[in-house]
Amino acid sequence: MSTDTDAWLERRALARRVTRWRVVAVLALLILTLAVLYRLDPGNLLARHQAHVARLEISGVIAENDWWLEKLEEAAEDDRVRAVILHINSPGGSTYGGEALFQAIRKVAVQKPVVSVIGTLGASAGYMVAIAGDHVLARETSLTGSIGVLFQTAEFSKLMEKVGVSAETITSGALKAEPNPTRPMSAAGRAQIQGMVNETHDWFVDLVASRRDLPRDEVARLADGRVYSGRAALQSKLIDGLGGLAEARNWLAESRDIPAALPLRDIPPDPPAGMLDGLGSRTFATLFGKSLFSERLRLDGLVSLWHPE
């Protein structure tokens, strides 16, 4: 009888231990699930289902980014999104990428207010993106402006001569292989590229003049490529005010009747790992906190960029 009782007690103790480990496993799974959900939609597990202000971070070198465009389109169509705040921390990037973002932001602004907040740096194409907002803010020490366009290439002909390497290029036209890293740029090639740069620069100046409601000749004077502190940008009317998130929420409340009590929802700035294109280079860089290669190397065509290093 004693043996049966001991066995029964042992089975009870084993069952309690198994139950305890099952509870621990369920709690761990729940925590893991919440962590994954937080990664997919940081800090917004409740806010996403109610009226809120959406915030999107535009950071790093600006290139073609379908994820940003998709998220902006979703924000424009989502009735729960009452306003959008853009936090910009970028030295710029390709003019194409900046133009695409500018147009996407303006489509949002047709339906709901957009505020741009420039962080440490919002220059060149970063500034182009910022002025798409209805209201532009920066800190006194933020760097912005750098209105301009550039085209960069490299030429290695002298190095090739030293190492005894030559290259032959057969083209269908005189400008087909301009610029060519294996030979100096021709006068005609330089003139053609300079004309393209000038044309795009004029487009950028016109864009700033229109969005900032400034005389074009005044913008042309400001658009010599220099960067401005937030304080200087305000004096030149390149931005509307000084401040950050709190000032953006105040402007929305006072000017657009968007309650300051509405929750703030952060839109993930990049596709979460394992989604869309898998573990892409940008997502990988986000996970590890730094880029493993220079994003600048991926920029082709005309560039509106300041101090990429």
Side-chain angles (χ1 to χ4, degrees):
M1 185 66 179
S2 176
T3 301
D4 292 341
T5 301
D6 291 342
W8 180 79
L9 291 174
E10 185 175 346
R11 287 196 299 272
R12 286 292 302 273
L14 178 61
R16 284 196 295 270
R17 287 196 297 271
V18 171
T19 300
R20 191 159 49 244
W21 280 111
R22 284 176 177 171
V23 171
V24 171
V26 169
L27 289 176
L29 180 60
L30 179 60
I31 292 172
L32 179 61
T33 301
L34 290 175
V36 171
L37 289 175
Y38 184 87
R39 177 67 183 92
L40 296 179
D41 190 14
N44 302 290
L45 301 181
L46 297 177
R48 66 183 302 177
H49 299 296
Q50 62 189 84
H52 60 273
V53 174
R55 177 172 59 182
L56 176 63
E57 180 179 356
I58 306 295
S59 62
V61 175
I62 294 172
E64 296 183 46
N65 190 313
D66 292 337
W67 176 264
W68 285 344
L69 302 183
E70 178 185 330
K71 293 296 130 181
L72 286 168
E73 182 178 359
E74 290 177 0
E77 297 175 353
D78 191 341
D79 293 335
R80 295 167 297 185
V81 177
R82 297 288 305 281
V84 175
I85 295 175
L86 303 172
H87 182 266
I88 299 163
N89 189 14
S90 169
S94 73
T95 52
Y96 177 91
E99 179 187 359
L101 267 176
F102 177 91
Q103 293 177 348
I105 294 164
R106 290 312 303 156
K107 288 180 181 179
V108 176
V110 169
Q111 303 184 52
K112 53 200 68 177
V114 178
V115 182
S116 299
V117 178
I118 297 172
T120 301
L121 180 62
S124 296
Y127 178 68
M128 183 190 302
V129 170
I131 60 174
D134 301 307
H135 192 68
V136 184
L137 297 169
R139 296 291 186 187
E140 291 192 44
T141 56
S142 298
L143 293 180
T144 187
S146 187
I147 303 165
V149 180
L150 62 91
F151 183 95
Q152 285 187 323
T153 185
E155 193 261 300
F156 305 108
S157 60
K158 291 184 179 180
L159 176 62
M160 293 170 64
E161 289 177 7
K162 289 184 178 180
V163 297
V165 176
S166 63
E168 295 289 344
T169 304
I170 301 174
T171 69
S172 58
L175 297 178
K176 181 59 180 174
E178 293 284 359
N180 189 329
T182 66
R183 68 187 186 200
M185 190 182 300
S186 69
R190 183 178 298 277
Q192 189 272 330
I193 293 173
Q194 184 65 61
M196 186 170 56
V197 169
N198 292 345
E199 177 188 357
T200 308
H201 177 70
D202 288 342
W203 168 83
F204 196 172
V205 169
D206 289 339
L207 193 69
V208 175
S210 174
R211 290 298 304 150
R212 300 306 305 159
D213 194 24
L214 291 170
R216 192 188 188 285
D217 58 349
E218 176 64 15
V219 176
R221 184 184 66 81
L222 297 169
D224 59 1
R226 76 182 70 183
V227 292
Y228 298 89
S229 68
R231 181 184 297 181
L234 179 60
Q235 293 173 348
S236 299
K237 299 182 181 179
L238 293 176
I239 65 173
D240 296 299
L242 299 174
L245 177 61
E247 287 74 16
R249 295 301 301 264
N250 289 340
W251 182 84
L252 287 171
E254 295 171 2
S255 301
R256 299 302 176 89
D257 197 27
I258 305 296
L262 282 181
L264 185 70
R265 177 194 172 196
D266 285 319
I267 301 173
D270 291 288
M275 292 185 64
L276 299 182
D277 59 347
L279 195 61
S281 61
R282 187 175 176 85
T283 302
F284 191 82
T286 300
L287 291 175
F288 286 89
K290 63 180 180 179
S291 176
L292 300 183
F293 56 89
S294 173
E295 288 186 286
R296 186 179 181 183
L297 296 178
R298 299 189 289 117
L299 294 177
D300 293 320
L302 294 173
V303 174
S304 186
L305 187 70
W306 182 84
H307 240 285
E309 292 82 16

